[in-house]
Amino acid sequence: MELNTIERDDIGAAAEDLVVPPAATRKVFVKTYGCQMNVYDSQRMTDALATDGYVATDAVGEADLVLLNTCHIREKAAEKVYSELGRIRELKAERAKAGREMLVGVAGCVAQAEGAEIIRRSPVVDLVIGPQTYHRLPAVLAKARSGEKIVETDYAVEDKFEHLPRPKRAELIRRGVTAFLTVQEGCDKFCTFCVVPYTRGSEVSRPVAQIVAEAERLADAGVREVTLLGQNVNAWHGRGEDCEEWGLGRLLFRLAEIPGLARLRYTTSHPRDMDNELIAAHRDLPTLMPYLHLPVQSGSDRILKAMNRRHMAKDYLTLIDRIRAARNDIALSGDFIVGFPGETEADFEATMQLVEDVNYASAFSFKYSPRPGTPGAEMNDQVPEAVKDERLQRLQALLLKQQQHFGASLVGRTIDTLIEKPGRQAGQKVGRSPWLQPVIVDEKAGEIGDIIQVRITKTGYNSLFAELA
């Protein structure tokens, strides 16, 4: 595939005057914005760059390559990237004066959506690379080091999962006892507020054999909990080991057979793809954690139709009842957008009523942000910012109340906790509850990777405190 190139604007010293470190000593700094998929993609990039001699660094000032892995869901997220590029421009100029090369790249969904516009707006950028082409990073960097400005966002659908790097076992061990595993990318739903179908493409499911093989490698490296990722993960489907068509529920049962994997999760889901087999997995599979992120966005049927969600509020509530009947200890999480074009006070009150009816353990809520290229951005009757602000505050107050109530309901209970990492304070370790909350325990309660029983003694703002049971 031919690379797109743009004339290079040199900043600071000329490229031939810069000191280029040998491959074995090059360092890469990756800053990640946005969702869990971007966290996973950042690991994919560092894995791909390891074959080119790069090692990761947490200090941007040491980096020979800086990559911003971007999110395009909300306007502020994109603007943060351009602000960061302004700071990096000064750092790159300082390094050039000292005779040190620093390449700057933008990756992720902003890269896919805006392409060459990023370089026109921020000439400090040397390369722009989309989410489906990270395996080409070494080749792209070779061209960038020769002085070209590179925009690499074109991809073939079949390439999405064919070229994922395989990190070494030692690197997997270093990353810890929890891991993300991408099984699906893209979305065919075309909600009118969302850029994902345009930046991540159509829905593509990763083959069963690839998923199982990666899960086995993770388990062999000591991973105890795996979260399956996808923009619309419960739409995953693929031909299984028995040559039959599998859905996500069947896949979860297969992954639960892998020795060492003690916990499974998945995110993010769409209500229309929550089928009977997946609900049965929540009922019958102890390895599948009792926590489900199931976005609804609004409680108003009129707004749901304008959003092209293709379900009504009562459909969502009926689905929640079925899920809770299958697993009565399940905790629900959701996403909400306030101030979508045309939203009236009555529409917003319908959302508040739905939140009351569901009683969420946690949720994410945002003001509507018009994204260029989406139908919502062209709609009339945009809601004033002041109205959006006021509604968001009311919604978040209710959601926080429900979150605190859920945490308080766990005090005195004995639960399983996966010890995940050292605590911020001496003498502590941090675990993870079945419902995804951080659990603070004494460092002597167990080793990292252990699943222990603890008694919840009190709650923090976003965490639980516990003693060994």
Side-chain angles (χ1 to χ4, degrees), residues 65-104:
L65 169 63
V66 176
L67 289 172
L68 303 184
N69 189 10
T70 60
C71 173
H72 204 257
I73 295 297
R74 283 171 294 280
E75 183 178 9
K76 287 186 178 180
E79 290 304 315
K80 285 179 182 178
V81 173
Y82 287 107
S83 296
E84 187 72 19
L85 287 171
R87 291 187 285 270
I88 291 170
R89 179 185 61 205
E90 297 176 4
L91 182 59
K92 181 174 181 175
E94 291 174 4
R95 283 177 62 93
K97 290 177 183 178
R100 295 282 294 178
E101 177 192 58
M102 175 185 279
L103 293 177
V104 178

Side-chain angles (χ1 to χ4, degrees), residues 31-194:
K31 183 166 185 175
T32 306
Y33 301 81
C35 65
Q36 296 99 324
M37 185 73 81
N38 270 13
V39 174
Y40 181 85
D41 283 349
S42 291
Q43 291 179 349
R44 285 170 57 191
M45 285 190 282
T46 55
D47 291 340
L49 289 168
T51 65
D52 201 31
Y54 281 89
V55 295
T57 178
D58 293 328
V60 65
E62 298 178 355
D64 305 292
L65 169 63
V66 176
L67 289 172
L68 303 184
N69 189 10
T70 60
C71 173
H72 204 257
I73 295 297
R74 283 171 294 280
E75 183 178 9
K76 287 186 178 180
E79 290 304 315
K80 285 179 182 178
V81 173
Y82 287 107
S83 296
E84 187 72 19
L85 287 171
R87 291 187 285 270
I88 291 170
R89 179 185 61 205
E90 297 176 4
L91 182 59
K92 181 174 181 175
E94 291 174 4
R95 283 177 62 93
K97 290 177 183 178
R100 295 282 294 178
E101 177 192 58
M102 175 185 279
L103 293 177
V104 178
V106 176
C109 291
V110 173
Q112 188 70 38
E114 302 192 12
E117 175 63 23
I118 295 172
I119 293 177
R120 281 192 284 268
R121 184 168 171 180
S122 296
V124 68
V125 176
D126 300 290
L127 61 109
V128 176
I129 188 163
Q132 317 305 336
T133 52
Y134 295 150
H135 59 284
R136 300 179 194 156
L137 259 174
V140 169
L141 283 171
K143 287 181 173 289
R145 280 195 292 268
S146 73
E148 294 183 49
K149 295 275 192 177
I150 309 297
V151 178
E152 179 77 346
T153 55
D154 293 335
Y155 65 91
V157 169
E158 59 270 19
D159 283 350
K160 283 197 172 194
F161 300 114
E162 290 299 319
H163 304 286
L164 292 179
R166 292 182 58 171
K168 295 179 180 179
R169 185 172 184 271
E171 174 61 20
L172 293 177
I173 292 172
R174 185 190 67 80
R175 291 176 184 172
V177 297
T178 63
F180 294 129
L181 197 169
T182 291
V183 301
Q184 182 271 345
E185 282 199 40
C187 186
D188 295 339
K189 298 297 186 288
F190 287 92
C191 298
T192 56
F193 55 81
C194 186

Side-chain angles (χ1 to χ4, degrees), residues 157-442:
V157 169
E158 59 270 19
D159 283 350
K160 283 197 172 194
F161 300 114
E162 290 299 319
H163 304 286
L164 292 179
R166 292 182 58 171
K168 295 179 180 179
R169 185 172 184 271
E171 174 61 20
L172 293 177
I173 292 172
R174 185 190 67 80
R175 291 176 184 172
V177 297
T178 63
F180 294 129
L181 197 169
T182 291
V183 301
Q184 182 271 345
E185 282 199 40
C187 186
D188 295 339
K189 298 297 186 288
F190 287 92
C191 298
T192 56
F193 55 81
C194 186
V195 297
V196 166
Y198 311 103
T199 59
R200 292 278 182 170
S202 59
E203 291 177 3
V204 178
S205 295
R206 192 175 179 188
V208 171
Q210 286 187 22
I211 296 168
V212 172
E214 182 169 345
E216 289 174 340
R217 288 196 301 272
L218 292 170
D220 179 64
V223 170
R224 306 300 312 281
E225 177 179 300
V226 166
T227 300
L228 307 184
L229 294 181
Q231 272 81 34
N232 192 21
V233 69
N234 56 346
W236 178 90
H237 62 278
R239 191 164 298 279
E241 297 159 329
D242 56 2
C243 295
E244 294 184 1
E245 187 79 3
W246 288 11
L248 186 64
R250 186 80 177 273
L251 177 65
L252 287 163
F253 274 98
R254 174 63 182 89
L255 295 176
E257 297 173 0
I258 297 174
L261 282 189
R263 290 178 161 194
L264 294 170
R265 304 180 188 272
Y266 62 92
T267 194
T268 291
S269 300
H270 194 288
R272 294 182 62 245
D273 292 311
M274 202 74 198
D275 62 21
N276 293 335
E277 191 174 40
L278 186 52
I279 294 174
H282 281 282
R283 180 191 65 210
D284 300 332
L285 193 58
T287 310
L288 183 57
M289 291 294 96
Y291 178 87
L292 175 61
H293 184 65
L294 192 62
V296 64
Q297 308 299 354
S298 175
S300 162
D301 288 342
R302 194 176 69 85
I303 296 301
L304 288 170
K305 182 177 181 180
M307 289 177 168
N308 195 36
R309 293 291 290 175
R310 290 183 282 179
H311 65 78
M312 294 188 293
K314 69 177 182 180
D315 301 325
Y316 182 84
L317 293 172
T318 299
L319 178 60
I320 296 300
D321 289 342
R322 292 179 58 210
I323 294 167
R324 283 182 164 152
R327 183 75 189 258
N328 60 14
D329 66 339
I330 199 164
L332 274 298
S333 173
D335 288 346
F336 294 92
I337 295 173
V338 302
F340 190 78
E343 183 187 71
T344 65
E345 183 64 22
D347 293 322
F348 175 71
E349 287 298 337
T351 298
M352 295 288 279
Q353 185 59 55
L354 182 141
V355 171
E356 291 276 12
D357 292 342
V358 173
N359 192 18
Y360 289 92
S362 65
F364 302 93
S365 54
F366 311 95
K367 294 185 295 182
Y368 171 70
S369 175
R371 306 313 299 132
T374 62
E378 305 300 321
M379 290 181 178
N380 296 323
D381 205 10
Q382 298 284 332
V383 177
E385 283 299 315
V387 175
K388 288 194 266 189
D389 286 336
E390 189 272 336
R391 289 176 183 169
L392 183 64
Q393 290 177 23
R394 285 159 57 194
L395 175 61
Q396 289 183 338
L398 175 57
L399 291 169
L400 178 59
K401 178 182 175 182
Q402 291 184 348
Q403 177 182 326
Q404 291 174 337
H405 182 267
F406 178 72
S409 73
L410 300 176
V411 174
R413 287 183 56 181
T414 298
I415 68 171
D416 289 339
T417 296
L418 170 63
I419 301 182
E420 189 176 1
K421 58 188 176 182
R424 291 183 179 180
Q425 297 184 15
Q428 293 181 342
K429 283 193 174 85
V430 179
R432 184 179 291 196
S433 81
W435 304 282
L436 211 56
Q437 304 118 310
V439 182
I440 313 301
V441 297
D442 187 275

